[in-house]
């Protein structure tokens, strides 16, 4: 993309409405625009990151054997009357009447609808296990939408639902989701810690939230500091293996880590004092096992091996896709702007032309831009007629992890500068070497998608 032809309305001033750094930087970098309280347009830069995050989510869901589909945003109230949640859900549910005076709602989650799909089409235990998911907009009429996309009213969620014959099978599905979520968040450059939590309106008493530690997080968390040493890394897990998934769950959940909803002071105090941590975290996902809470009242049964019909065991599993942009920025920024992890960056590398209009500098930038594209990169070429300082400030604000600076002085020696946004360090390389270096840097990111 050439910046001169792009749409990236960066703001010079700090927006007054933003209380936390991710909200401020998303507005300043021209990623989002508020349309109403807690409702945002995703401008091109924000939309790019949203899609990268969504793509990682899809890839990791496929790896775990989960099946993608798409359900509508509007749902019939009748379905929710069957589960009893139409009345229970309260004011967070946006209720709508159509022209025939039928009650609809903008879905805050999809347990009822997926259960309805299941009961219409699945009849036998032989069709299990089954996990279906979608990535779709949700609406929750939050009393205090705030912090930009972190607590929106309309937000993008990945929500998945498992259907199993027995409790044991459903617990394997739970563990499988935990493993796949660890891998998903690490690909986004995040450490998200699974913590025992509360079922809330979704239900079930077996549930973990995934929390990214950040001062601005809305949840208070209590944990054993040893847990922050755990990395999922590039392990090769067989998602069908009950033992392997169980082992990962045990490794990542055996140390104390809880949100304030389930915090137990006596248990916490058994951790050696120097390892006790009280901090704040951003909830970027939650997994639930809730047994037959929806299948029983809604009649989602299968014929079991003995010929008897039994309600299926279910769980649901959510990732806050749009919230993740805020969480990643909270975890990765400095006073100049965002620092995108390579896995989610909107563009892999920025090219800064120090002397726009100078024939040889322009043509070196053009050649580099074309070469990067032909090698599978998404470069952002700042070809605007601006001062170098302004170009650098923009690059720092939007946070591309790598920048190549091209100017006449370096070019005289066939050199450009490759700079890391994270530590500011630069190396002088020939344009070909810079491309080769970027290939090495991004190889693990491209490999992780395989
Ligand atoms: N049906 C279940 C799992 S699929 C469910 O709805 N779970 S949830 O309520 O925990 O939501 C899943 C994730 O969506 C949360 O972990 C959080 O990251 C994100 N989320 C929830 N509310 C909001 C909100 N108001 N704004 C942005 N993201 C949100």
């Amino acid at each position: 993309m050439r910046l001169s032809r792009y749409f990236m309305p960066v703001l010079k001033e700090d927006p007054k409405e933003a209380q936390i750094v991710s909200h401020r930087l998303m507005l300043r970098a021209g990623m989002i625009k508020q349309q109403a309280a807690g409702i945002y347009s995703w401008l091109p830069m924000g939309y790019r990151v949203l899609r990268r995050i969504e793509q990682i989510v899809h890839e990791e869901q496929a790896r775990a054997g989960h099946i993608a589909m798409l359900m509508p945003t509007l749902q019939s109230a009748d379905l929710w009357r069957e589960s009893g949640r139409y009345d229970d859900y309260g004011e967070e549910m946006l209720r709508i009447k159509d022209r025939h005076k039928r009650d609809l709602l903008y879905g805050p989650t999809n347990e009822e609808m997926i259960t309805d799909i299941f009961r219409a089409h699945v009849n036998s235990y032989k069709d299990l296990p089954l996990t279906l998911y979608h990535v779709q907009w949700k609406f929750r009429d939050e009393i205090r939408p705030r912090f930009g996309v972190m607590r929106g009213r309309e937000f993008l969620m990945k929500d998945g639902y498992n259907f199993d014959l027995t409790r044991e099978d459903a617990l394997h599905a739970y563990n499988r989701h935990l493993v796949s979520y660890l891998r998903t968040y690490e690909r986004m450059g995040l450490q998200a810690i699974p913590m025992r939590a509360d079922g809330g309106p979704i239900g079930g008493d077996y549930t973990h939230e995934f929390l990214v530690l950040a001062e601005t997080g809305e949840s208070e968390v209590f944990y054993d500091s040893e847990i922050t040493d755990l990395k999922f890394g590039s392990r090769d897990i067989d998602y069908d293996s009950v033992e392997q998934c169980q082992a990962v769950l045990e490794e990542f959940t055996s140390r104390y880590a809880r949100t304030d909803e389930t915090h137990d002071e006596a248990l916490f105090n058994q951790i050696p004092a120097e390892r006790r941590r009280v901090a704040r975290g951003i909830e970027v996902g939650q997994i639930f096992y809730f047994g037959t809470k929806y299948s029983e009242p809604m009649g989602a049964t299968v014929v079991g091996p003995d010929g008897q019909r039994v309600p299926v065991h279910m769980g649901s599993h959510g990732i806050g896709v749009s919230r993740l942009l805020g969480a990643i920025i909270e975890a990765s920024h400095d006073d100049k702007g965002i620092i995108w992890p390579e896995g989610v960056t909107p563009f892999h590398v920025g090219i800064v032309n120090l002397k726009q209009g100078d024939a040889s500098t322009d043509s070196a930038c053009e050649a580099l831009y074309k070469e990067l594209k032909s090698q599978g990169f998404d470069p952002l070429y700042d070809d605007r007629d601006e001062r170098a300082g302004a170009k650098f400030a923009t690059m720092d604000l939007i946070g591309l992890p790598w920048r190549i600076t091209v100017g006449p002085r370096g070019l005289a020696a066939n050199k450009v500068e490759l700079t890391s946004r994270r530590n500011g360090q630069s190396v002088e390389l020939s344009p070909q070497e810079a491309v080769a270096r970027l290939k090495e840097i991004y190889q693990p990111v491209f490999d992780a998608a395989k």
Side-chain angles (χ1 to χ4, degrees), residues 192-208:
I193 304 171
M195 301 199 182
R196 274 306 284 265
D198 179 73
I202 308 294
D205 52 14
Y206 190 46
T207 174
H208 284 90

Side-chain angles (χ1 to χ4, degrees), residues 108-111 140 142 149-153 155 157-161 202 283-286 288 316-320 322-323:
T109 175
N110 281 60
E111 281 78 6
R140 293 183 185 171
E142 303 276 353
V149 300
M150 294 267 244
R151 180 159 298 280
R153 292 199 294 165
F155 59 96
M157 191 203 288
K158 169 264 163 183
D159 42 324
Y161 305 86
I202 308 294
E283 179 204 328
V284 292
Q286 188 165 3
F288 303 81
S316 71
H317 315 277
I319 293 181
S322 50
R323 174 179 287 183

Side-chain angles (χ1 to χ4, degrees), residues 360-361 363-369 371-372 375 404-407 410-418 427-439:
S360 63
T361 316
S363 78
C365 286
E366 286 295 329
L368 190 57
Y369 178 67
E371 177 61 13
L372 284 163
Q375 300 283 342
I404 299 178
T405 310
V406 184
L411 281 178
N414 192 34
K415 295 285 186 214
V416 295
E417 208 176 59
L418 179 67
V427 278
E428 290 214 327
L429 299 167
S430 72
Q432 295 77 4
E433 287 166 342
V435 175
R437 181 78 196 95
L438 283 171
K439 279 172 96 169

